[in-house]
């Protein structure tokens, strides 16, 4: 794990709070956040100029399903175990972790929407515009307003 290994999780917990098992259960309210058009255009330019073949999601992110996995897919209310790496568009890795568990509702919007596209054993690459990632706030090793690339393998739904 990189020195920022828990940056994603810690930021999400600070931003959304931590839900304990005995608290009110997650209510799967549909996410309505959509990336601004300028971010979508910038992300599409990156995708096109890099020769990446990816699917555009209506909320403004792109993804490739490297392996769909099998079985039921998680929901935003699921607790999951994943392995992942996060990169900037220049190729620099800013974070990675093997086999880490968390509730999807505690994470950035791009992960809440992207991970449920695969089942356990599957893997996905997410191309996230800033507003579906960390936005205008600089994070450890992540400049403000960065397009982020996450390779995520879903081990299991806990």
């Amino acid at each position: 794990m990189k020195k920022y290994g828990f940056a994603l999780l810690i930021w999400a917990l600070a931003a959304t709070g931590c839900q304990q098992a005995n608290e009110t259960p997650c209510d799967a309210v549909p996410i309505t956040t959509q990336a601004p058009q300028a971010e979508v255009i910038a992300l599409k330019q990156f995708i096109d100029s890099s020769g990446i073949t990816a699917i555009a999601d209506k909320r403004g992110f792109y993804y490739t399903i490297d392996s769909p996995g099998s079985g039921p897919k998680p929901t935003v209310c699921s607790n999951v175990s994943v392995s992942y790496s996060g990169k900037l568009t220049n190729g620099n890795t800013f974070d990675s972790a093997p086999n880490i568990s968390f509730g999807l509702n505690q994470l950035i919007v791009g992960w809440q929407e992207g991970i449920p596209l695969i089942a356990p054993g599957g893997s996905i690459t997410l191309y996230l515009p800033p507003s579906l990632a960390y936005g205008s706030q600089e994070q450890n090793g992540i400049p403000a307003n960065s397009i982020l690339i996450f390779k995520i393998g879903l081990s299991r739904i806990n």
Side-chain angles (χ1 to χ4, degrees), residues 24-37:
T24 306
C26 173
D27 57 354
V29 175
I31 296 173
T32 58
T33 303
Q34 290 190 330
Q37 192 62 28

Side-chain angles (χ1 to χ4, degrees), residues 18-152:
C18 183
Q19 180 180 13
Q20 299 297 320
N22 61 355
E23 290 183 15
T24 306
C26 173
D27 57 354
V29 175
I31 296 173
T32 58
T33 303
Q34 290 190 330
Q37 192 62 28
E39 288 184 11
V40 175
I41 290 168
L43 179 55
K44 180 159 180 25
Q45 287 174 342
F46 168 75
I47 296 285
D48 291 346
S49 68
S50 300
I52 297 168
T53 301
I55 299 166
D57 184 90
K58 66 182 179 183
R59 291 160 289 226
F61 69 93
Y62 283 75
Y63 64 93
T64 57
I65 295 178
D66 306 307
S67 172
S70 61
K73 295 178 181 176
T75 69
V76 72
C77 292
S78 297
N79 184 288
V80 297
S81 293
V82 302
S83 294
Y84 74 92
S85 66
K87 292 186 177 187
L88 302 172
T89 55
N90 65 9
N92 290 342
T93 299
F94 60 84
D95 195 9
S96 65
N99 200 30
I100 186 169
S101 297
F102 43 73
L104 281 180
N105 65 331
Q106 299 172 331
L107 301 176
I108 59 175
V109 172
W111 278 45
Q112 290 179 29
E113 294 298 312
I115 292 176
L117 297 172
I118 57 173
S123 60
I124 191 168
T125 303
L126 298 175
Y127 303 91
L128 303 179
S131 62
L132 302 181
Y134 295 108
S136 62
Q137 293 185 340
E138 183 176 330
Q139 298 293 318
N140 294 329
I142 306 170
N145 298 310
S146 292
I147 292 171
L148 302 181
I149 305 160
F150 288 98
K151 291 190 175 285
I152 304 166

